[in-house]
Amino acid sequence: MCRCLLSKRQLVATVGRTYDVLYSHNRLQRFYSNRNVLKLYERQIIQNMFPDNSSNEIIDLLTKRNQCVYAGFDPTADSLHIGNLLVIINLLHWQRANHKVIALIGGATAQIGDPSGKSKDRDKQSSQMLSHNIKGITHSLQSIFDNHAKYFWKQKDPLPEPIIINNMEWYKGIGVIDFMNNIGRHFRMGTMLSRDSVKSRLSGSGMSFTEFTYQTFQAYDWLHLFKNYKCLFQIGGNDQMGNIMSGQELISRQENAKVYGLTVPLITTDSGDKYGKSAQNAIWLNSDRTSPFELYQFMIRTIDADVEKLLKMFTFLSLPEIAELMRRHKATPDKRIPHESLARQVTTLVHGEEGLKEAIVATSALYDNSIETLSTLSVNDILKIFNGATVVELMLEPGITVLKMAMNAKCFLTDKDAYRIISAGGFYINHQRITNIDEIVTLSVHILPNNISLVRVGKRNYWIVKWIM
């Protein structure tokens, strides 16, 4: 087992230590102790650490006693997204190792704006929008913590309770003069200007003083948590390294103490674009933004080259279990066994078993052409599956033909279009192709037991017909 791990050059490069030091005989047992989350390197969940030569110290701290770690989430939208999920899963691994975890909601820092990864200043948020976003972010976090404890934690001992806290709690009582006098004096302009998030903006569209100061506030957050919770660790995306370094430097100067930062890799699309709320393919964690079905499909469509990596990152399956899934995939690739496992695990974590059930039912309705499944769904359920479908109500008249139904539902602009497309086989009712325009619409054939007909024209144009009996 040791030799297998020793071959992982990425692990060595990231930790910044040699094989002999990291895997020396007297450290192996502690490296694999339950509290040592540095083993997450095996799952590619940790990318870098700061200070970069501190792995020995971190291992000692983690194995001697339980620690406290935090990650921050600014409420710039009313839901977290798939790009945030890896940070949350990292927190869950710390929680599983019996460490105290803090999810910090940046109710104050969101009003300043994190320049990391941005080419221009963020728009200013109204207090009403900010309050709405905080509520949505809190829901994202609490749901995932609850689902993890309910569906994934199999041990007898309960998990340590996570702390979800809003940094507005400590900024409300701080005046600008006090902040600049007590905190601002610990920062050096040269160091602040050297941060990548600042340099990239200064060479482009520029940066406001407000966003320039963001790193001081994120640093102060860590100082506050250090003082009140003995929080020695911070986790963030790899683009947060500059802000993490600012916090480490502030605490070392003001408290003469050492703290440590860990970053997770940024998840990207096939084209190299970052997954996130600004991306066109944004996948949100709250069901009112992205349905469980959409999340399930997003995961199950993972390309073969990425599925093993994402199983390590986004699930709690053991490495041997993942290896077995990949072996089975190699034997029967058409079954997409690891892809389905990934989709089930992630959907359950984010939306619970009810969300997974909804996603599987929706998948059956859409891809298996299951009339039985369609007949059990409500209009709202069908709308979630067939995104963009038009809903119409029609009176069931005796002798109504397929052509008249289609025209009453406004499926076609003209009778001529209807004749042409239906006769050519481009018209479907409840997944069944209809080619006879004079066919009579009947309850047993065209209308489901829930008094709904799902109509499709071509490949992607759907109408949901609600029949009034």
Side-chain angles (χ1 to χ4, degrees):
M1 185 174 189
C2 299
R3 291 179 181 175
C4 175
L5 290 173
L6 289 178
S7 68
K8 296 189 176 180
R9 296 184 179 277
Q10 182 182 11
L11 173 63
V12 177
T14 309
V15 177
R17 304 177 59 204
T18 64
Y19 289 144
D20 290 339
V21 174
L22 183 57
Y23 289 105
S24 59
H25 180 73
N26 64 342
R27 292 220 175 250
L28 274 175
Q29 187 173 1
R30 287 194 295 166
F31 185 82
Y32 284 99
S33 70
N34 290 334
R35 285 199 296 258
N36 184 13
V37 293
L38 282 192
K39 61 189 176 183
L40 294 178
Y41 276 108
E42 295 177 296
R43 305 184 72 96
Q44 302 173 45
I45 298 178
I46 296 175
Q47 183 166 351
N48 288 307
M49 68 170 60
F50 182 81
D52 60 6
N53 60 349
S54 56
S55 53
N56 270 342
E57 301 165 33
I58 291 176
I59 291 171
D60 287 338
L61 287 168
L62 293 174
T63 54
K64 284 180 179 177
R65 64 183 61 86
N66 296 332
Q67 297 294 331
C68 177
V69 61
Y70 97 94
F73 307 89
D74 276 353
T76 52
D78 61 0
S79 171
L80 296 176
H81 52 83
I82 198 70
N84 303 120
L85 186 57
L86 195 57
V87 175
I88 302 173
I89 287 178
N90 205 305
L91 289 180
L92 292 174
H93 278 288
W94 283 70
Q95 189 187 28
R96 293 165 76 91
N98 209 36
H99 299 296
K100 181 186 298 182
V101 300
I102 300 174
L104 174 64
I105 299 177
T109 43
Q111 299 178 60
I112 297 166
D114 184 359
S116 302
K118 295 296 178 183
S119 58
K120 62 179 182 179
D121 285 3
R122 297 176 186 265
D123 295 332
K124 185 177 179 181
Q125 293 191 66
S126 67
S127 58
Q128 294 86 351
M129 179 60 70
L130 183 62
S131 178
H132 172 74
N133 289 350
I134 290 171
K135 184 177 179 181
I137 296 293
T138 303
H139 175 75
S140 290
L141 292 165
Q142 191 64 61
S143 294
I144 292 173
F145 278 117
D146 291 346
N147 288 335
H148 169 255
K150 184 174 182 180
Y151 301 115
F152 294 92
W153 183 244
K154 307 301 183 183
Q155 305 302 317
K156 184 181 299 184
D157 295 332
L159 291 162
E161 283 295 322
I163 299 170
I164 301 177
I165 193 169
N166 186 345
N167 65 5
M168 183 60 77
E169 292 184 16
W170 50 85
Y171 283 109
K172 286 187 294 187
I174 302 177
V176 63
I177 301 301
D178 287 341
F179 186 84
M180 296 305 293
N181 184 41
N182 296 321
I183 304 301
R185 67 175 60 253
H186 294 288
F187 292 86
R188 295 294 175 263
M189 287 295 298
T191 304
M192 294 177 71
L193 288 167
S194 70
R195 304 300 187 210
D196 289 340
S197 60
V198 175
K199 288 194 297 184
S200 62
R201 288 280 291 276
L202 294 182
S203 61
S205 61
M207 174 184 285
S208 69
F209 174 74
T210 301
E211 289 201 357
F212 178 67
T213 65
Y214 183 90
Q215 57 186 287
T216 68
F217 288 91
Q218 184 165 326
Y220 182 73
D221 286 340
W222 197 356
L223 176 63
H224 176 88
L225 297 177
F226 172 79
K227 289 181 175 179
N228 290 273
Y229 296 93
K230 297 182 180 178
C231 185
L232 299 185
F233 295 90
Q234 181 182 172
I235 295 171
N238 211 40
D239 59 350
Q240 291 295 307
M241 183 57 86
N243 294 328
I244 291 173
M245 292 168 69
S246 294
Q248 194 266 356
E249 290 164 6
L250 173 63
I251 294 170
S252 67
R253 290 192 180 109
Q254 182 158 318
E255 300 297 315
N256 194 28
K258 195 167 185 179
V259 292
Y260 309 87
L262 299 169
T263 65
V264 304
L266 298 180
I267 309 300
T268 58
T269 64
D270 295 344
S271 59
D273 295 328
K274 175 183 170 184
Y275 284 143
K277 54 187 175 295
S278 58
Q280 294 298 316
N281 62 341
I283 299 295
W284 303 89
L285 301 186
N286 287 0
S287 59
D288 57 344
R289 299 291 298 271
T290 296
S291 70
F293 164 72
E294 290 171 308
L295 175 62
Y296 183 88
Q297 287 300 318
F298 177 80
M299 287 296 171
I300 212 166
R301 289 195 297 266
T302 299
I303 63 174
D304 286 0
D306 288 343
V307 68
E308 183 175 10
K309 176 184 71 174
L310 295 185
L311 280 167
K312 292 177 181 179
M313 288 179 166
F314 286 115
T315 79
F316 300 100
L317 297 173
S318 69
L319 296 183
E321 287 174 320
I322 293 171
E324 173 60 17
L325 287 173
M326 297 310 299
R327 185 197 65 77
R328 293 172 63 190
H329 178 60
K330 187 176 181 180
T332 54
D334 56 309
K335 292 185 178 181
R336 297 178 68 79
I337 294 171
H339 307 72
E340 182 181 354
S341 181
L342 174 67
R344 285 175 172 269
Q345 293 272 323
V346 173
T347 305
T348 303
L349 179 64
V350 176
H351 297 297
E353 287 187 348
E354 283 300 311
L356 176 62
K357 180 181 177 181
E358 176 186 323
I360 292 173
V361 167
T363 297
S364 175
L366 182 58
Y367 295 112
D368 298 340
N369 294 337
S370 172
I371 296 177
E372 181 181 353
T373 300
L374 271 178
S375 67
T376 65
L377 301 176
S378 68
V379 171
N380 287 336
D381 291 334
I382 296 175
L383 271 174
K384 289 179 183 177
I385 301 168
F386 301 96
N387 191 24
T390 301
V391 180
V392 296
E393 290 188 352
L394 296 181
M395 184 72 68
L396 182 59
E397 305 169 6
I400 186 172
T401 65
V402 166
L403 175 62
K404 187 173 182 181
M405 181 203 74
M407 296 308 297
N408 288 349
K410 295 183 170 50
C411 298
F412 304 99
L413 293 177
T414 66
D415 286 354
K416 185 177 180 181
D417 290 334
Y419 277 104
R420 177 175 54 82
I421 294 174
I422 294 174
S423 300
F427 186 77
Y428 300 78
I429 299 178
N430 302 329
H431 298 308
Q432 304 301 310
R433 177 178 283 138
I434 305 295
T435 57
N436 181 6
I437 61 173
D438 296 321
E439 189 172 330
I440 303 299
V441 175
T442 60
L443 282 169
S444 59
V445 178
H446 307 95
I447 302 174
L448 299 172
N450 51 6
N451 294 334
I452 290 173
S453 295
L454 178 67
V455 176
R456 173 162 64 92
V457 178
K459 292 184 177 180
R460 299 181 181 178
N461 300 308
Y462 289 95
W463 283 258
I464 300 170
V465 178
K466 296 170 58 180
W467 291 100
I468 302 173
M469 305 297 184

